[in-house]
Amino acid sequence: MSNKPSSKTSATPSKPTDFEEALEKYREHLKRKRLLFTRERIAILEEVMARHDHFSVEELHDSLKAAGKKVSRATLYRNLDSLKEAGILAEVDLGNRHVQYEHVLGHGHHFHLVCEDDGAVVEDSSAEIEKLLEALARKHNLDLTHFKLQIFGTRRRK
Amino acid sequence: MSNKPSSKTSATPSKPTDFEEALEKYREHLKRKRLLFTRERIAILEEVMARHDHFSVEELHDSLKAAGKKVSRATLYRNLDSLKEAGILAEVDLGNRHVQYEHVLGHGHHFHLVCEDDGAVVEDSSAEIEKLLEALARKHNLDLTHFKLQIFGTRRRK
DNA sequence: GTTGCTGCAAACCCTTTGCATAGGA
DNA sequence: TCCTATGCAAAGGGTTTGCAGCAAC
């Protein structure tokens, strides 16, 4: 698919980067939904995958501008949903009263711990919890697709 | 505090209703914060405790109006925070793109399962999960204050 | 060539704020 | 009485939308 020189030999399609994986995933999603594969959508995807933090729409728009890619705010907003539906982008609630995002690929299910003293955010994951959540979903006759979990706490005094 | 006839004898302060408990809690919170105990704040508290579902600010405003209590939207917004701080009201994210609330008293920690097929919401709780979350918080040097957990899934085909 | 996408700017909606007045303590 | 809270209406900020031109397929 990609002809970018990713390693010395091109014999085996050596492990694709997260971006390449996302690109392929997005391309398929767009095709399935009969949406066009436009340069703007690719630019947005690139920036989403380039950022490894939590970002607002405004910050993403700034990133794009900084990278020399002109994508209007309207187009940005219009395409966030398809990125979410494609399983590439996820909303994050950090309790700070504005929507933030993070990319999903290369991360897998995880959740956020937020320190209420200073707003610091850490990520973590737990197979044990996931297993419990799946059981809970099943109990209510659901197949778990995803979950959102935020743990809020104050700094522990020893 | 309240002289409303809650039972035959007034010998022992028999189990207070959720509303009475919330009222007391709120009164103390307001005093601690040096905020006034106004009729509007009481009216809002009443409605919050009267609703046993998830509601938006707009819906709460409608409830108040329907109950014959005139509270302006501005006042409503201005007082949501103190209700949250008092531990009476909590925000709920049901993945439907607008803030909703629920009252906390008489419910305790719980979480929401959301069906992606039709948006149906169920509540549940799990001591096991809470224990894990506390351990996780501790691991990151936090004292857990609260958590938000939403489980999304599609209806299970047997 | 057709159809859907983008950019622009205006519209929208929810929430916050300034100011004069009302009402707790 | 003093000072905060309220109501109103206007402002604010983030998100959506209508329309004309442009770019995928």
Side-chain angles (χ1 to χ4, degrees):
Chain A
M1 251 84 257
S2 156
N3 57 3
K4 118 143 81 107
S6 60
S7 68
K8 299 102 198 172
T9 80
S10 53
T12 52
S14 58
K15 184 157 73 62
T17 64
D18 285 346
F19 169 70
E20 287 162 352
E21 196 181 331
L23 185 63
E24 205 39 47
K25 198 170 179 178
Y26 197 30
R27 187 202 296 279
E28 274 159 30
H29 176 80
L30 293 175
K31 180 177 291 181
R32 201 168 345 109
K33 295 277 186 170
R34 292 166 207 283
L35 299 171
L36 300 186
F37 194 64
T38 65
R39 80 185 60 172
E40 287 83 359
R41 298 217 239 244
I42 300 169
I44 295 170
L45 178 67
E46 254 171 22
E47 277 314 301
V48 163
M49 295 307 294
R51 297 197 61 137
H52 292 275
D53 55 350
H54 303 119
F55 50 86
S56 65
V57 176
E58 193 55 33
E59 289 165 341
L60 185 57
H61 190 240
D62 289 346
S63 293
L64 282 160
K65 207 179 304 180
K69 295 159 187 154
K70 285 192 256 306
V71 175
S72 74
R73 231 178 298 269
T75 294
L76 195 45
Y77 278 107
R78 278 192 273 240
N79 285 301
L80 291 177
D81 282 335
S82 70
L83 281 166
K84 282 195 276 182
E85 285 166 18
I88 289 166
L89 189 66
E91 278 185 22
V92 188
D93 176 4
L94 269 15
N96 54 8
R97 206 172 272 274
H98 66 273
V99 187
Q100 291 190 283
Y101 295 89
E102 66 182 6
H103 70 241
V104 172
L105 260 71
H107 289 272
H109 286 167
H110 64 275
F111 45 80
H112 298 94
L113 295 105
V114 182
C115 174
E116 292 185 308
D117 295 325
D118 57 11
V121 177
V122 212
E123 300 188 352
D124 202 347
S125 62
S126 155
E128 201 172 352
I129 284 186
E130 277 199 55
K131 216 173 295 174
L132 283 173
L133 297 187
E134 270 173 32
L136 271 160
R138 230 175 2 255
K139 167 181 165 192
H140 290 280
N141 211 41
L142 292 174
D143 282 319
L144 184 145
T145 56
H146 64 290
F147 64 87
K148 296 191 198 173
L149 169 59
Q150 303 90 236
I151 302 174
F152 297 90
T154 49
R155 203 172 301 296
R156 207 166 152 65
R157 22 206 68 276
K158 71 237 62 181
Chain B
M1 253 80 264
S2 157
N3 56 5
K4 118 142 79 104
S6 61
S7 68
K8 299 102 201 173
T9 79
S10 53
T12 51
S14 58
K15 184 157 74 61
T17 64
D18 286 346
F19 169 70
E20 289 162 351
E21 196 181 330
L23 186 63
E24 206 39 49
K25 198 169 179 180
Y26 198 29
R27 188 202 294 280
E28 275 159 30
H29 176 80
L30 293 175
K31 181 178 289 180
R32 203 170 340 111
K33 294 278 187 167
R34 290 167 209 283
L35 299 171
L36 300 186
F37 194 63
T38 66
R39 81 185 58 173
E40 287 84 358
R41 297 215 240 243
I42 298 168
I44 295 170
L45 178 67
E46 254 171 24
E47 277 314 301
V48 162
M49 295 308 293
R51 299 197 60 138
H52 291 276
D53 55 349
H54 304 119
F55 50 86
S56 65
V57 176
E58 193 54 34
E59 289 165 342
L60 185 56
H61 190 240
D62 290 346
S63 293
L64 281 160
K65 208 179 302 179
K69 297 160 186 152
K70 284 191 256 306
V71 175
S72 73
R73 232 176 296 269
T75 295
L76 194 45
Y77 278 107
R78 279 191 272 239
N79 285 301
L80 291 177
D81 282 335
S82 69
L83 281 167
K84 282 193 276 179
E85 285 166 20
I88 289 166
L89 189 65
E91 278 185 21
V92 188
D93 175 2
L94 269 16
N96 55 8
R97 207 174 272 274
H98 65 274
V99 187
Q100 291 191 283
Y101 296 89
E102 65 182 7
H103 70 241
V104 172
L105 259 71
H107 289 272
H109 285 168
H110 65 275
F111 45 79
H112 299 95
L113 296 104
V114 182
C115 173
E116 293 185 309
D117 295 324
D118 58 9
V121 178
V122 213
E123 301 189 352
D124 201 348
S125 62
S126 156
E128 201 172 352
I129 285 186
E130 278 200 52
K131 217 174 296 174
L132 283 173
L133 297 188
E134 270 173 32
L136 271 160
R138 232 177 0 256
K139 167 181 164 191
H140 290 280
N141 211 41
L142 292 174
D143 282 320
L144 184 144
T145 56
H146 65 289
F147 64 87
K148 297 190 194 172
L149 169 58
Q150 302 90 239
I151 302 174
F152 298 89
T154 49
R155 203 172 301 297
R156 205 165 154 66
R157 21 207 70 274
K158 73 237 60 191

mmCIF file of all heavy atoms in Angstrom, chain A residues 36-37 39 57 73-74 77-78 99, chain D residues 14-19 23-25:
data_model
loop_
_atom_site.group_PDB
_atom_site.id
_atom_site.type_symbol
_atom_site.label_atom_id
_atom_site.label_comp_id
_atom_site.label_asym_id
_atom_site.label_seq_id
_atom_site.Cartn_x
_atom_site.Cartn_y
_atom_site.Cartn_z
ATOM 1 N N LEU A 36 -15.615 10.143 0.610
ATOM 2 C CA LEU A 36 -14.435 10.342 -0.230
ATOM 3 C C LEU A 36 -13.151 10.393 0.579
ATOM 4 O O LEU A 36 -13.137 10.782 1.748
ATOM 5 C CB LEU A 36 -14.583 11.625 -1.041
ATOM 6 C CG LEU A 36 -15.794 11.676 -1.974
ATOM 7 C CD1 LEU A 36 -15.740 12.933 -2.818
ATOM 8 C CD2 LEU A 36 -15.860 10.437 -2.851
ATOM 9 N N PHE A 37 -12.087 10.019 -0.081
ATOM 10 C CA PHE A 37 -10.766 9.989 0.514
ATOM 11 C C PHE A 37 -10.059 11.287 0.137
ATOM 12 O O PHE A 37 -9.288 11.332 -0.820
ATOM 13 C CB PHE A 37 -10.034 8.771 -0.058
ATOM 14 C CG PHE A 37 -8.791 8.388 0.669
ATOM 15 C CD1 PHE A 37 -8.854 7.950 1.984
ATOM 16 C CD2 PHE A 37 -7.562 8.432 0.035
ATOM 17 C CE1 PHE A 37 -7.706 7.564 2.659
ATOM 18 C CE2 PHE A 37 -6.404 8.056 0.712
ATOM 19 C CZ PHE A 37 -6.478 7.625 2.018
ATOM 20 N N ARG A 39 -7.810 14.958 0.631
ATOM 21 C CA ARG A 39 -6.517 15.354 1.215
ATOM 22 C C ARG A 39 -6.721 15.920 2.616
ATOM 23 O O ARG A 39 -5.879 15.755 3.479
ATOM 24 C CB ARG A 39 -5.837 16.382 0.324
ATOM 25 C CG ARG A 39 -6.352 17.792 0.480
ATOM 26 C CD ARG A 39 -5.728 18.714 -0.506
ATOM 27 N NE ARG A 39 -6.017 18.266 -1.866
ATOM 28 C CZ ARG A 39 -5.722 18.959 -2.949
ATOM 29 N NH1 ARG A 39 -5.102 20.121 -2.828
ATOM 30 N NH2 ARG A 39 -6.019 18.515 -4.139
ATOM 31 N N VAL A 57 -10.165 20.375 19.962
ATOM 32 C CA VAL A 57 -10.321 20.626 18.532
ATOM 33 C C VAL A 57 -9.478 21.829 18.130
ATOM 34 O O VAL A 57 -8.808 21.827 17.098
ATOM 35 C CB VAL A 57 -11.798 20.883 18.187
ATOM 36 C CG1 VAL A 57 -11.945 21.236 16.722
ATOM 37 C CG2 VAL A 57 -12.629 19.662 18.511
ATOM 38 N N ARG A 73 -11.830 24.983 10.259
ATOM 39 C CA ARG A 73 -12.441 24.468 11.475
ATOM 40 C C ARG A 73 -13.698 23.659 11.141
ATOM 41 O O ARG A 73 -13.942 22.596 11.708
ATOM 42 C CB ARG A 73 -12.816 25.637 12.390
ATOM 43 C CG ARG A 73 -12.325 25.518 13.810
ATOM 44 C CD ARG A 73 -12.719 26.756 14.588
ATOM 45 N NE ARG A 73 -12.087 27.946 14.016
ATOM 46 C CZ ARG A 73 -10.912 28.398 14.419
ATOM 47 N NH1 ARG A 73 -10.281 27.809 15.406
ATOM 48 N NH2 ARG A 73 -10.374 29.457 13.857
ATOM 49 N N ALA A 74 -14.481 24.159 10.197
ATOM 50 C CA ALA A 74 -15.720 23.470 9.835
ATOM 51 C C ALA A 74 -15.434 22.059 9.355
ATOM 52 O O ALA A 74 -16.074 21.095 9.776
ATOM 53 C CB ALA A 74 -16.456 24.256 8.759
ATOM 54 N N TYR A 77 -14.381 19.816 12.291
ATOM 55 C CA TYR A 77 -15.540 19.346 13.055
ATOM 56 C C TYR A 77 -16.325 18.306 12.263
ATOM 57 O O TYR A 77 -16.770 17.311 12.811
ATOM 58 C CB TYR A 77 -16.450 20.515 13.413
ATOM 59 C CG TYR A 77 -15.990 21.276 14.634
ATOM 60 C CD1 TYR A 77 -15.422 22.531 14.523
ATOM 61 C CD2 TYR A 77 -16.126 20.724 15.900
ATOM 62 C CE1 TYR A 77 -14.999 23.233 15.645
ATOM 63 C CE2 TYR A 77 -15.716 21.420 17.023
ATOM 64 C CZ TYR A 77 -15.144 22.672 16.900
ATOM 65 O OH TYR A 77 -14.734 23.347 18.004
ATOM 66 N N ARG A 78 -16.475 18.574 10.967
ATOM 67 C CA ARG A 78 -17.278 17.650 10.174
ATOM 68 C C ARG A 78 -16.676 16.252 10.109
ATOM 69 O O ARG A 78 -17.373 15.280 9.860
ATOM 70 C CB ARG A 78 -17.454 18.202 8.752
ATOM 71 C CG ARG A 78 -18.574 19.243 8.673
ATOM 72 C CD ARG A 78 -18.936 19.571 7.233
ATOM 73 N NE ARG A 78 -18.095 20.632 6.701
ATOM 74 C CZ ARG A 78 -18.566 21.812 6.250
ATOM 75 N NH1 ARG A 78 -19.851 22.051 6.266
ATOM 76 N NH2 ARG A 78 -17.746 22.728 5.784
ATOM 77 N N VAL A 99 -14.218 19.261 25.850
ATOM 78 C CA VAL A 99 -13.988 17.994 25.180
ATOM 79 C C VAL A 99 -12.541 17.872 24.713
ATOM 80 O O VAL A 99 -11.996 18.793 24.120
ATOM 81 C CB VAL A 99 -14.916 17.865 23.951
ATOM 82 C CG1 VAL A 99 -14.797 16.481 23.356
ATOM 83 C CG2 VAL A 99 -16.346 18.168 24.344
ATOM 84 P P DG D 14 -13.672 28.447 23.021
ATOM 85 O OP1 DG D 14 -12.685 27.855 23.946
ATOM 86 O OP2 DG D 14 -13.223 29.187 21.830
ATOM 87 O "O5'" DG D 14 -14.663 27.300 22.537
ATOM 88 C "C5'" DG D 14 -15.342 26.526 23.511
ATOM 89 C "C4'" DG D 14 -16.410 25.722 22.824
ATOM 90 O "O4'" DG D 14 -17.411 26.598 22.272
ATOM 91 C "C3'" DG D 14 -15.900 24.874 21.664
ATOM 92 O "O3'" DG D 14 -16.554 23.625 21.725
ATOM 93 C "C2'" DG D 14 -16.303 25.674 20.434
ATOM 94 C "C1'" DG D 14 -17.607 26.302 20.903
ATOM 95 N N9 DG D 14 -17.969 27.558 20.231
ATOM 96 C C8 DG D 14 -17.160 28.631 19.989
ATOM 97 N N7 DG D 14 -17.771 29.619 19.382
ATOM 98 C C5 DG D 14 -19.073 29.152 19.212
ATOM 99 C C6 DG D 14 -20.196 29.767 18.624
ATOM 100 O O6 DG D 14 -20.277 30.894 18.110
ATOM 101 N N1 DG D 14 -21.318 28.950 18.658
ATOM 102 C C2 DG D 14 -21.348 27.699 19.206
ATOM 103 N N2 DG D 14 -22.522 27.044 19.161
ATOM 104 N N3 DG D 14 -20.311 27.108 19.772
ATOM 105 C C4 DG D 14 -19.205 27.887 19.730
ATOM 106 P P DT D 15 -16.211 22.487 20.666
ATOM 107 O OP1 DT D 15 -16.324 21.221 21.395
ATOM 108 O OP2 DT D 15 -14.964 22.846 19.968
ATOM 109 O "O5'" DT D 15 -17.426 22.568 19.635
ATOM 110 C "C5'" DT D 15 -18.728 22.256 20.112
ATOM 111 C "C4'" DT D 15 -19.740 22.403 19.017
ATOM 112 O "O4'" DT D 15 -19.804 23.784 18.597
ATOM 113 C "C3'" DT D 15 -19.465 21.585 17.751
ATOM 114 O "O3'" DT D 15 -20.600 20.743 17.531
ATOM 115 C "C2'" DT D 15 -19.273 22.626 16.653
ATOM 116 C "C1'" DT D 15 -20.012 23.835 17.208
ATOM 117 N N1 DT D 15 -19.547 25.180 16.768
ATOM 118 C C2 DT D 15 -20.451 26.030 16.182
ATOM 119 O O2 DT D 15 -21.617 25.732 16.006
ATOM 120 N N3 DT D 15 -19.942 27.253 15.821
ATOM 121 C C4 DT D 15 -18.655 27.692 15.979
ATOM 122 O O4 DT D 15 -18.327 28.815 15.613
ATOM 123 C C5 DT D 15 -17.745 26.751 16.593
ATOM 124 C C7 DT D 15 -16.311 27.125 16.803
ATOM 125 C C6 DT D 15 -18.229 25.556 16.959
ATOM 126 P P DT D 16 -20.824 19.920 16.224
ATOM 127 O OP1 DT D 16 -21.617 18.749 16.618
ATOM 128 O OP2 DT D 16 -19.542 19.767 15.526
ATOM 129 O "O5'" DT D 16 -21.762 20.885 15.358
ATOM 130 C "C5'" DT D 16 -22.990 21.313 15.918
ATOM 131 C "C4'" DT D 16 -23.786 22.090 14.893
ATOM 132 O "O4'" DT D 16 -23.120 23.333 14.605
ATOM 133 C "C3'" DT D 16 -23.983 21.384 13.549
ATOM 134 O "O3'" DT D 16 -25.359 21.533 13.218
ATOM 135 C "C2'" DT D 16 -23.056 22.139 12.599
ATOM 136 C "C1'" DT D 16 -23.057 23.527 13.209
ATOM 137 N N1 DT D 16 -21.849 24.362 12.989
ATOM 138 C C2 DT D 16 -22.011 25.648 12.521
ATOM 139 O O2 DT D 16 -23.094 26.123 12.250
ATOM 140 N N3 DT D 16 -20.852 26.367 12.393
ATOM 141 C C4 DT D 16 -19.581 25.936 12.670
ATOM 142 O O4 DT D 16 -18.619 26.689 12.522
ATOM 143 C C5 DT D 16 -19.471 24.586 13.140
ATOM 144 C C7 DT D 16 -18.119 24.027 13.460
ATOM 145 C C6 DT D 16 -20.597 23.869 13.281
ATOM 146 P P DT D 17 -25.994 20.886 11.942
ATOM 147 O OP1 DT D 17 -27.348 20.494 12.336
ATOM 148 O OP2 DT D 17 -25.043 19.914 11.377
ATOM 149 O "O5'" DT D 17 -26.107 22.114 10.918
ATOM 150 C "C5'" DT D 17 -26.611 23.350 11.382
ATOM 151 C "C4'" DT D 17 -26.699 24.321 10.213
ATOM 152 O "O4'" DT D 17 -25.470 25.063 10.107
ATOM 153 C "C3'" DT D 17 -26.918 23.685 8.843
ATOM 154 O "O3'" DT D 17 -27.766 24.543 8.091
ATOM 155 C "C2'" DT D 17 -25.521 23.658 8.234
ATOM 156 C "C1'" DT D 17 -24.941 24.940 8.812
ATOM 157 N N1 DT D 17 -23.468 24.974 8.953
ATOM 158 C C2 DT D 17 -22.830 26.179 8.797
ATOM 159 O O2 DT D 17 -23.406 27.207 8.526
ATOM 160 N N3 DT D 17 -21.470 26.134 8.982
ATOM 161 C C4 DT D 17 -20.710 25.034 9.285
ATOM 162 O O4 DT D 17 -19.501 25.120 9.429
ATOM 163 C C5 DT D 17 -21.453 23.791 9.434
ATOM 164 C C7 DT D 17 -20.720 22.537 9.765
ATOM 165 C C6 DT D 17 -22.782 23.821 9.265
ATOM 166 P P DG D 18 -28.571 23.983 6.822
ATOM 167 O OP1 DG D 18 -29.964 23.822 7.251
ATOM 168 O OP2 DG D 18 -27.827 22.844 6.228
ATOM 169 O "O5'" DG D 18 -28.489 25.217 5.804
ATOM 170 C "C5'" DG D 18 -28.488 26.569 6.289
ATOM 171 C "C4'" DG D 18 -28.167 27.529 5.141
ATOM 172 O "O4'" DG D 18 -26.743 27.793 5.123
ATOM 173 C "C3'" DG D 18 -28.482 27.018 3.741
ATOM 174 O "O3'" DG D 18 -28.811 28.146 2.917
ATOM 175 C "C2'" DG D 18 -27.191 26.344 3.300
ATOM 176 C "C1'" DG D 18 -26.125 27.199 3.991
ATOM 177 N N9 DG D 18 -24.963 26.469 4.494
ATOM 178 C C8 DG D 18 -24.931 25.199 5.008
ATOM 179 N N7 DG D 18 -23.741 24.833 5.410
ATOM 180 C C5 DG D 18 -22.934 25.940 5.142
ATOM 181 C C6 DG D 18 -21.557 26.149 5.370
ATOM 182 O O6 DG D 18 -20.742 25.380 5.871
ATOM 183 N N1 DG D 18 -21.142 27.413 4.952
ATOM 184 C C2 DG D 18 -21.968 28.361 4.384
ATOM 185 N N2 DG D 18 -21.402 29.506 4.051
ATOM 186 N N3 DG D 18 -23.261 28.177 4.178
ATOM 187 C C4 DG D 18 -23.676 26.949 4.574
ATOM 188 P P DC D 19 -29.251 27.928 1.399
ATOM 189 O OP1 DC D 19 -30.279 28.964 1.133
ATOM 190 O OP2 DC D 19 -29.529 26.506 1.088
ATOM 191 O "O5'" DC D 19 -27.925 28.374 0.635
ATOM 192 C "C5'" DC D 19 -27.235 29.566 1.045
ATOM 193 C "C4'" DC D 19 -25.940 29.697 0.264
ATOM 194 O "O4'" DC D 19 -24.898 28.933 0.921
ATOM 195 C "C3'" DC D 19 -26.012 29.151 -1.170
ATOM 196 O "O3'" DC D 19 -25.371 30.064 -2.043
ATOM 197 C "C2'" DC D 19 -25.262 27.831 -1.096
ATOM 198 C "C1'" DC D 19 -24.214 28.160 -0.043
ATOM 199 N N1 DC D 19 -23.643 26.984 0.651
ATOM 200 C C2 DC D 19 -22.301 27.024 1.044
ATOM 201 O O2 DC D 19 -21.635 28.034 0.806
ATOM 202 N N3 DC D 19 -21.773 25.950 1.690
ATOM 203 C C4 DC D 19 -22.527 24.876 1.934
ATOM 204 N N4 DC D 19 -21.968 23.852 2.573
ATOM 205 C C5 DC D 19 -23.898 24.822 1.532
ATOM 206 C C6 DC D 19 -24.414 25.885 0.906
ATOM 207 P P DA D 23 -9.577 22.480 -6.434
ATOM 208 O OP1 DA D 23 -8.310 23.047 -5.930
ATOM 209 O OP2 DA D 23 -9.882 22.460 -7.882
ATOM 210 O "O5'" DA D 23 -9.679 20.987 -5.896
ATOM 211 C "C5'" DA D 23 -10.083 20.741 -4.562
ATOM 212 C "C4'" DA D 23 -10.604 19.313 -4.461
ATOM 213 O "O4'" DA D 23 -11.946 19.235 -4.988
ATOM 214 C "C3'" DA D 23 -9.793 18.303 -5.243
ATOM 215 O "O3'" DA D 23 -9.863 17.113 -4.510
ATOM 216 C "C2'" DA D 23 -10.579 18.148 -6.539
ATOM 217 C "C1'" DA D 23 -11.988 18.215 -5.989
ATOM 218 N N9 DA D 23 -13.021 18.631 -6.913
ATOM 219 C C8 DA D 23 -12.964 19.588 -7.880
ATOM 220 N N7 DA D 23 -14.090 19.769 -8.529
ATOM 221 C C5 DA D 23 -14.949 18.843 -7.950
ATOM 222 C C6 DA D 23 -16.305 18.513 -8.181
ATOM 223 N N6 DA D 23 -17.047 19.117 -9.111
ATOM 224 N N1 DA D 23 -16.838 17.538 -7.437
ATOM 225 C C2 DA D 23 -16.105 16.938 -6.503
ATOM 226 N N3 DA D 23 -14.826 17.174 -6.184
ATOM 227 C C4 DA D 23 -14.306 18.139 -6.956
ATOM 228 P P DA D 24 -8.633 16.135 -4.406
ATOM 229 O OP1 DA D 24 -7.693 16.646 -3.425
ATOM 230 O OP2 DA D 24 -8.184 15.848 -5.792
ATOM 231 O "O5'" DA D 24 -9.297 14.824 -3.805
ATOM 232 C "C5'" DA D 24 -9.711 13.901 -4.709
ATOM 233 C "C4'" DA D 24 -10.893 13.116 -4.222
ATOM 234 O "O4'" DA D 24 -12.094 13.732 -4.742
ATOM 235 C "C3'" DA D 24 -10.810 11.719 -4.809
ATOM 236 O "O3'" DA D 24 -11.388 10.792 -3.928
ATOM 237 C "C2'" DA D 24 -11.587 11.854 -6.114
ATOM 238 C "C1'" DA D 24 -12.602 12.967 -5.813
ATOM 239 N N9 DA D 24 -12.788 13.896 -6.929
ATOM 240 C C8 DA D 24 -11.885 14.768 -7.479
ATOM 241 N N7 DA D 24 -12.359 15.492 -8.459
ATOM 242 C C5 DA D 24 -13.668 15.070 -8.577
ATOM 243 C C6 DA D 24 -14.726 15.443 -9.422
ATOM 244 N N6 DA D 24 -14.600 16.394 -10.349
ATOM 245 N N1 DA D 24 -15.903 14.829 -9.274
ATOM 246 C C2 DA D 24 -16.044 13.891 -8.329
ATOM 247 N N3 DA D 24 -15.133 13.461 -7.458
ATOM 248 C C4 DA D 24 -13.960 14.096 -7.640
ATOM 249 P P DC D 25 -10.955 9.289 -4.104
ATOM 250 O OP1 DC D 25 -11.301 8.615 -2.834
ATOM 251 O OP2 DC D 25 -9.572 9.276 -4.627
ATOM 252 O "O5'" DC D 25 -11.920 8.716 -5.241
ATOM 253 C "C5'" DC D 25 -13.298 8.552 -4.936
ATOM 254 C "C4'" DC D 25 -14.067 8.334 -6.218
ATOM 255 O "O4'" DC D 25 -14.053 9.538 -7.010
ATOM 256 C "C3'" DC D 25 -13.493 7.239 -7.106
ATOM 257 O "O3'" DC D 25 -14.440 6.191 -7.217
ATOM 258 C "C2'" DC D 25 -13.306 7.896 -8.481
ATOM 259 C "C1'" DC D 25 -14.113 9.169 -8.362
ATOM 260 N N1 DC D 25 -13.589 10.310 -9.145
ATOM 261 C C2 DC D 25 -14.460 11.023 -9.972
ATOM 262 O O2 DC D 25 -15.645 10.693 -10.026
ATOM 263 N N3 DC D 25 -13.980 12.077 -10.682
ATOM 264 C C4 DC D 25 -12.690 12.410 -10.588
ATOM 265 N N4 DC D 25 -12.266 13.453 -11.294
ATOM 266 C C5 DC D 25 -11.776 11.688 -9.766
ATOM 267 C C6 DC D 25 -12.256 10.656 -9.066
#
